[in-house]
Amino acid sequence: MTGQIELGLFVAQVQKSFGSHKALKGVDLEVRKGEFFTLLGPSGCGKTTLLRIIAGLELPDSGHVFLGGRDITRLPAAKRQVNTVFQSYALFPHLNVFENVAFGLKARNVEPPEVRKRVVENLEMLDLLGLEKRYPHQLSGGQKQRVALARALVNNPDILLLDEPMSALDARLRAQVQEDLRRLQRAVGQTFILVTHDQDEAMVVSDRIAVMKDGLVEQVGDPREVYSKPRNKFVAEFLGAANIIQARRDGGRVVTTLGSFDLSTAPQWDEGALAIRPEHILLGDAPQSDANWVQAEVREAIYRGQSLDLWLAAASERNDCLDPLRLRVRTHSKGRLAPGDQVSLFFPPEDLVALENRSLTE
Amino acid sequence: MAGSENITPTPGGPKQALPPKGFLTWYGGIHRLRDLHLRGGAFLGPGLLWLSVFLALPTLGLLALSFARRGDFGDISWAFTLENYRRLLGYGLFGWSPDYLIILGRSLWVGLVTTALCALLAYPLTFYIASRPPKTRTWLLFLLVVPFWTNVVVRTYAWLLILSPQLPPAKIMAFLGFIPAGAPLYPGSVATFLGMVATFLPFMALPLYSSVERLNWELLEAARDLYASRWQVFTQAILPQTRPGLTVGVIVTFIPAMAMFVVTDLLGGAKYMLIGNLIQHQFGQSRDWPFGAALCLALMFLTMLGLIFYRRYAGGEIGAAGSGRGKETRS
């Protein structure tokens, strides 16, 4: 084992089935010590199952989980230095805030003065002082969530697991809590693993993201990498809107129905697909003969306040193309464009991503 | 647009939308308050009448009766006396004897032990049933109710048969040396509690099951995640959640178990006189209704005391423990 693996969490070839449903089909992951790691994917992708395996609430059918260089695959939850913030928070309804937070320490027979000290410290950190005597049903959603966080963090876990902790909060509070959560993780310096299906949330909080689909990890990387350099169509589309364009390689360039493009990173295939984010396509006036420039007609303009989304029909180079390719472009909301307007589009070479060939068949 | 006129806040508009004075809305309908009171009374009336005529009045009758005196021929002579209560406390014709108090204490003991045994057995039973697939669950619950179809006397006679010397249980016990060869397994306290638990287990299991079925399992996982031992998982995660069902189970088991005499009579033998037998005797063979009434009230008092004790130290209010139950959602 290398030093890095000894420090962090290492998941090796983990498989899990529920009846005939394969929830995890051999997952490999490495989570570094002290990072904010996110498992991102649609519901049913196996992310919660993986989290529960790391927590010790589920046994994998095969594969191993290492923590700090130790194989913890068959270690029960109560013996792992791992704590969980549950989706519904799972606060004990008959215990007040103080007793809830003190639960883990008391269960391990920590001395009462020490319990008191650590509970108060954590309540203070999460801005819960003064609520010690309240019962869970007397708390707001945000307060419950902070109690759940305090209850887990007070045990000083090697890893804090968060199972969709924002799903019960309303949208405005959620945005606030995401930033708070990120600051909290920076402050305590512990490893956080978050499960979410919300790509915005994943980007805001994470150091690194693992995008999951159908029981497999599709791509791991920091938010910028995963967003701007998606490996395949699924990742490209799950992390936000993307234009997917069929293409083939011709010498140093890539040829599509829209014309030929230069790419900063040449594709590995001869025939495949390109992806580009709507906001990466630029509008302008340009010599239309040049590579990476495309002529298009506005079909629909959607004003979104912070941006203007355009649905465009690109003029195909070949006249026999019956159905013009629909392109999505996101631009300044100051622009005044209406259906029927002709525009020139520039596709920057560094923003055009060649997807892996597997995506062609999906 | 005609439709928008209702929403537009024009002068006079909102006033029209309010119900006229003396009316109020009640679940979407608009009613006069007086009508609602009448309707409530109409719904409440029959039950109230039934309870008054068949529960409250007879209880008051018993109260009055308990201060009367037994006539020479088993009739009732209406003279105010505390004699029945004195007798109950042990002051009889031949000086003080604790016989009746022992019987009361024994009844309390039988009720408590039966209730405790039922609770102890009902937990694993209900968890087992709740863990089965829905179809099996329905069948198992059905099987739990089947004994109710047979009269308790008949069921108890069945126990006599099962515990008879000719059948394996008694033979095995005799072989192991616990009882003499050729003896039945009754009468005795083992047989008594066997019969009592068999009779009252459904009373405990059914209400408990309703709590177990709605258990939020995430709380159990949270407890495990927070280093709880198995016992702590039970006391901190299972017990608080199942307390409403357990409380109902305790009440509906303890009350009839205290007063039970059929099972204890048949399986416990004559030496195990309980308050149920005693009361039956007063209204039957002895024809001493006033003393019977005093015993009835003593039983009610004891039962109340037991339930107050339970509520104070174990139960909490019925249904209150369920108020904090979290939403059970998982994507």
Side-chain angles (χ1 to χ4, degrees), chain B residues 260-261 264-265 272-282:
Chain B
M260 174 56 94
F261 57 90
T264 46
D265 235 14
Y272 283 97
M273 177 76 111
L274 291 171
I275 191 159
N277 308 76
L278 199 57
I279 292 170
Q280 192 215 9
H281 265 277
Q282 303 316 313

Side-chain angles (χ1 to χ4, degrees), chain B residues 4 27 32 41 72-73 78 114 136 150 163 181 184 247 270 273 283 286 288 293 314 322 327:
Chain B
S4 66
Y27 290 101
R32 213 190 290 273
D72 290 338
F73 306 100
W78 292 101
T114 302
T136 323
T150 322
L163 300 174
T247 302
M273 177 76 111
F283 287 96
S286 307
D288 190 348
K327 268 181 268 169

Side-chain angles (χ1 to χ4, degrees), chain B residues 22-279:
Chain B
F23 284 80
L24 71 149
T25 52
W26 178 256
Y27 290 101
I30 296 175
H31 306 270
R32 213 190 290 273
L33 186 61
R34 197 167 49 93
D35 293 347
L36 278 182
H37 281 301
L38 279 175
R39 195 163 75 172
F43 281 130
L44 199 61
L48 205 61
L49 196 71
W50 184 276
L51 285 178
S52 315
V53 172
F54 296 106
L55 185 75
L57 283 179
T59 307
L60 286 173
L62 272 181
L63 189 67
L65 194 56
S66 73
F67 294 107
R69 197 187 295 276
R70 178 186 188 270
D72 290 338
F73 306 100
D75 53 340
I76 300 155
S77 100
W78 292 101
F80 182 82
T81 172
L82 290 174
E83 181 54 34
N84 295 312
Y85 290 99
R86 276 173 54 83
R87 199 174 146 201
L88 197 133
L89 291 171
Y91 301 100
L93 284 172
F94 314 105
W96 188 78
S97 98
D99 285 353
Y100 293 132
L101 290 180
I102 287 175
I103 288 171
L104 274 175
R106 191 187 288 138
S107 301
L108 195 64
W109 173 248
V110 167
L112 286 175
V113 172
T114 302
T115 310
L117 285 175
C118 284
L120 218 59
L121 287 172
Y123 265 101
L125 178 70
T126 49
F127 269 81
Y128 175 78
I129 294 175
S131 70
R132 298 299 98 189
K135 230 178 187 170
T136 323
R137 243 181 278 167
T138 316
W139 270 106
L140 291 173
L141 286 173
F142 171 72
L143 289 177
L144 200 61
V145 186
V146 161
F148 287 137
W149 292 2
T150 322
N151 184 282
V152 67
V153 179
V154 178
R155 267 184 284 155
T156 310
Y157 271 110
W159 274 108
L160 288 180
L161 201 64
I162 291 168
L163 300 174
S164 67
Q166 292 81 20
L167 286 178
K171 281 190 171 169
I172 290 168
M173 285 298 149
F175 178 76
L176 293 173
F178 289 110
I179 52 166
L185 276 170
Y186 59 86
S189 43
V190 174
T192 306
F193 286 120
L194 210 62
M196 289 294 272
V197 169
T199 306
F200 288 110
L201 189 58
F203 288 86
M204 179 65 81
L206 287 173
L208 188 62
Y209 174 79
S210 69
S211 280
V212 170
E213 194 192 24
R214 290 177 301 166
L215 206 66
N216 178 5
W217 288 86
E218 219 172 46
L219 280 185
L220 276 66
E221 292 188 336
R224 289 302 272 168
D225 190 65
L226 293 164
Y227 318 106
S229 63
R230 278 171 204 287
W231 175 245
Q232 284 169 323
V233 170
F234 178 76
T235 57
Q236 301 298 315
I238 295 175
L239 192 59
Q241 288 196 77
T242 50
R243 188 158 282 160
L246 183 66
T247 302
V248 174
V250 163
I251 290 170
V252 300
T253 305
F254 182 67
I255 295 175
M258 275 277 287
M260 174 56 94
F261 57 90
V262 176
V263 175
T264 46
D265 235 14
L266 290 172
L267 291 169
K271 55 180 177 172
Y272 283 97
M273 177 76 111
L274 291 171
I275 191 159
N277 308 76
L278 199 57
I279 292 170

Side-chain angles (χ1 to χ4, degrees), chain A residues 154-195:
Chain A
V154 77
N155 301 294
N156 205 13
D158 287 340
I159 300 180
L160 180 75
L161 304 175
L162 301 122
D163 185 6
E164 306 232 9
M166 327 272 192
S167 55
L169 306 179
D170 62 68
R172 186 183 290 218
L173 186 58
R174 201 179 303 163
Q176 166 76 42
V177 169
Q178 286 163 6
E179 290 178 21
D180 288 347
L181 198 58
R182 184 182 171 82
R183 278 183 212 118
L184 178 71
Q185 193 268 338
R186 295 290 184 279
V188 295
Q190 268 151 349
T191 314
F192 279 31
I193 301 179
L194 171 78
V195 156

